[in-house]
Amino acid sequence: MAFNFFTSDYAIKIHDKIIEISGGWAGIKNFGNIESPLTHIQNDDYYPTFEAKLTHLIFSFNKFHAFNDGNKRTSIAMGAFFLEVNGLDFLIDKFIIEMENIAVTVADNIIEKELLQEIITSLINEEDYNEGLKLKIINSLEQVNSDKEQINLGSEFYRDLY
């Protein structure tokens, strides 16, 4: 199957529109981090499936900070645009809703690229996450919570503030 791709000009326009709508610092931090993933996803040896291409696109824009601000938001918008230009626009609403939660966990190193690809594959091919995938997501989230000290935000926390 032949896929449709887009250029860095579209990526920059998407980012600029995100910043215009939701606020943040405009501007490009590293142009290579825009051009590189857009070029790499066209290589079928590295990214043979649509899901692998979409995963790399989202992961790269999320993690490698091509822009001064809005990288997580832009990664979601890039993914949605990639779905649209490839005739999968009926998945965009579901994709955006799910990825709004996932994008933060990817940025925080809670969900790694491999699990992200499983999530994306499920979003595209299944009605809902299967039980095994749900457990992987839960385990990733629980591992982070177990590593952090619990902070009690009850009345004792605020007593020293006034």
Side-chain angles (χ1 to χ4, degrees):
M1 175 180 181
F3 300 111
N4 295 312
F5 299 98
F6 54 93
T7 65
S8 56
D9 290 339
Y10 282 102
I12 293 166
K13 287 178 185 177
I14 289 167
H15 171 263
D16 291 349
K17 187 69 172 178
I18 292 289
I19 296 299
E20 178 186 319
I21 291 169
S22 60
W25 295 328
I28 298 168
K29 189 173 188 178
N30 184 328
F31 184 76
N33 288 343
I34 298 169
E35 191 68 29
S36 178
L38 295 173
T39 301
H40 288 156
I41 63 172
Q42 296 180 45
N43 186 331
D44 291 338
D45 291 334
Y46 291 113
Y47 307 103
T49 65
F50 182 80
E51 294 86 353
K53 293 173 188 305
L54 182 58
T55 299
H56 185 69
L57 181 70
I58 293 165
F59 187 84
S60 297
F61 277 94
N62 183 305
K63 298 291 287 179
F64 301 140
H65 297 265
F67 301 102
N68 290 326
D69 196 10
N71 292 287
K72 290 183 289 291
R73 292 173 282 164
T74 300
S75 73
I76 296 168
M78 296 285 185
F81 189 60
F82 193 57
L83 287 169
E84 183 175 331
V85 300
N86 283 286
L88 299 172
D89 50 312
F90 62 93
L91 292 172
I92 291 174
D93 289 341
K94 176 184 175 184
F95 173 82
I96 290 172
I97 290 167
E98 292 296 324
M99 290 308 297
E100 284 178 346
N101 295 321
I102 300 298
V104 173
T105 61
V106 170
D108 289 342
N109 300 316
I110 297 167
I111 290 183
E112 299 294 331
K113 190 174 185 181
E114 182 179 304
L115 182 52
L116 176 63
Q117 184 163 339
E118 287 185 56
I119 292 167
I120 287 171
T121 300
S122 178
L123 284 172
I124 291 172
N125 298 304
E126 300 171 0
E127 188 70 28
D128 192 13
Y129 301 140
N130 64 53
E131 295 303 315
L133 181 54
K134 287 178 185 177
L135 285 172
K136 287 180 182 180
I137 295 168
I138 290 168
N139 287 338
S140 292
L141 296 173
E142 284 180 346
Q143 190 169 3
V144 170
N145 288 338
S146 68
D147 293 344
K148 293 185 178 179
E149 180 182 333
Q150 294 294 322
I151 299 172
N152 181 353
L153 296 179
S155 60
E156 293 297 317
F157 175 82
Y158 298 100
R159 214 164 261 156
D160 291 338
L161 297 176
Y162 52 90

